[in-house]
Amino acid sequence: MIDDRKCFDEINLITVIVNFGMASKIMKHAKKHGVTGGTVLLGTGTIKNQLLEFLGINEARKEIVLMASDSNTSKAALEELDRRFNFRKPNHGIAFSTSIRGIFGTKAMKCNDNVERGEEVAEYNLVISIVDKGKGEMVVDAANKAGSRGATIINGRGSGIHETSKVFGMEIEPEKEVVLIISQRDLTDGIVSSISTDMKIDEPGNGIIFVQDIDSTYGLY
């Protein structure tokens, strides 16, 4: 029995997506407001601009900052981050939080087992698609057909039962792309359906999609 499991609805995951080079500043400011630490990932943001596409520079390097904290600290930290970095201005970044259903391996966060689930309906969803490397843009194109306005692509590595092959007796785990899409709730089903159809997600080894509710957002306009 694992007794290290922390709580459910009271702990949030803060996600901040900013231009390359900004992550350390985000982390430093968040720590000033109660966030104890985080993880930085590198990704690619999709930019829809005809001139940039013509010039071949329509992709921008992004940093994705992941930070977990209790819900009160999360809310306060997000407000302070928005005040400092002004996410509401175009190209200044996007920040949002999602609920964490459980945490293992940390004693920094305590939980209250009596926390009740709220009845509010999320305005936005986070659609996460995991596909083979090179197919992330196909996911973005499929999502755009259903009303999505952009995405962030992160490089990853897979180890599913349908994903491995052997060379000289060694298992080779193919590289993956993780596509993050923030969707208005009323568009989510259509976006998921479009991605699923175009990528043939129902066929083994073609990828997975899952959806999370977003509790609060900054920088979406």
Side-chain angles (χ1 to χ4, degrees):
M1 177 70 178
I2 299 176
D3 58 5
D4 221 9
R5 183 174 181 177
K6 305 308 172 189
C7 219
F8 298 160
D9 298 318
E10 71 181 303
I11 297 177
N12 289 348
L13 178 67
I14 301 171
T15 302
V16 184
I17 302 174
V18 289
N19 290 329
F20 185 80
M22 289 294 296
S24 59
K25 296 178 181 179
I26 296 291
M27 293 273 287
K28 183 177 180 180
H29 197 69
K31 287 181 179 180
K32 289 182 179 179
H33 298 281
V35 178
T36 57
T39 299
V40 179
L41 306 174
L42 298 180
T44 302
T46 59
I47 302 173
K48 296 304 174 184
N49 180 291
Q50 289 184 345
L51 176 60
L52 293 180
E53 289 179 356
F54 177 76
L55 296 174
I57 54 175
N58 60 313
E59 293 185 350
R61 286 196 297 171
K62 298 291 182 181
E63 290 179 324
I64 301 95
V65 186
L66 306 177
M67 302 173 286
S69 70
D70 66 86
S71 59
N72 290 333
T73 299
S74 171
K75 182 178 179 180
L78 276 171
E79 289 176 353
E80 291 297 332
L81 286 169
D82 183 51
R83 186 174 291 113
R84 171 65 177 82
F85 297 99
N86 206 353
F87 297 129
R88 290 178 174 84
K89 285 190 175 182
N91 302 318
H92 278 221
I94 295 172
F96 58 91
S97 66
T98 55
S99 296
I100 292 177
R101 298 296 299 149
I103 288 184
F104 298 84
T106 176
K107 299 183 183 298
M109 300 175 191
K110 303 299 181 183
C111 71
N112 175 4
D113 292 332
N114 294 321
V115 172
E116 294 182 0
R117 180 178 294 278
E119 296 298 327
E120 294 185 8
V121 176
E123 182 180 358
Y124 291 94
N125 294 130
L126 174 63
V127 180
I128 302 176
S129 303
I130 303 175
V131 293
D132 287 338
K133 184 177 180 180
K135 294 185 177 180
E137 285 292 345
M138 296 171 63
V139 171
V140 175
D141 290 342
N144 288 345
K145 289 193 298 185
S148 172
R149 295 188 297 174
T152 299
I153 301 174
I154 307 170
N155 291 324
R157 187 163 59 91
S159 59
I161 59 173
H162 300 291
E163 315 292 340
T164 59
S165 59
K166 288 190 176 183
V167 178
F168 300 119
M170 298 182 295
E171 287 190 345
I172 305 299
E173 297 178 348
E175 294 184 57
K176 298 291 183 182
E177 288 181 338
V178 182
V179 184
L180 308 181
I181 298 169
I182 298 176
S183 164
Q184 290 183 316
R185 187 178 182 87
D186 59 350
L187 296 177
T188 298
D189 287 347
I191 289 172
V192 170
S193 177
S194 182
I195 296 171
S196 181
T197 299
D198 284 15
M199 304 305 297
K200 299 180 180 178
I201 292 296
D202 290 336
E203 297 181 10
N206 279 2
I208 61 172
I209 305 171
F210 56 96
V211 179
Q212 288 182 278
D213 287 339
I214 291 178
D215 300 320
S216 57
T217 61
Y218 296 83
L220 297 181
Y221 53 90

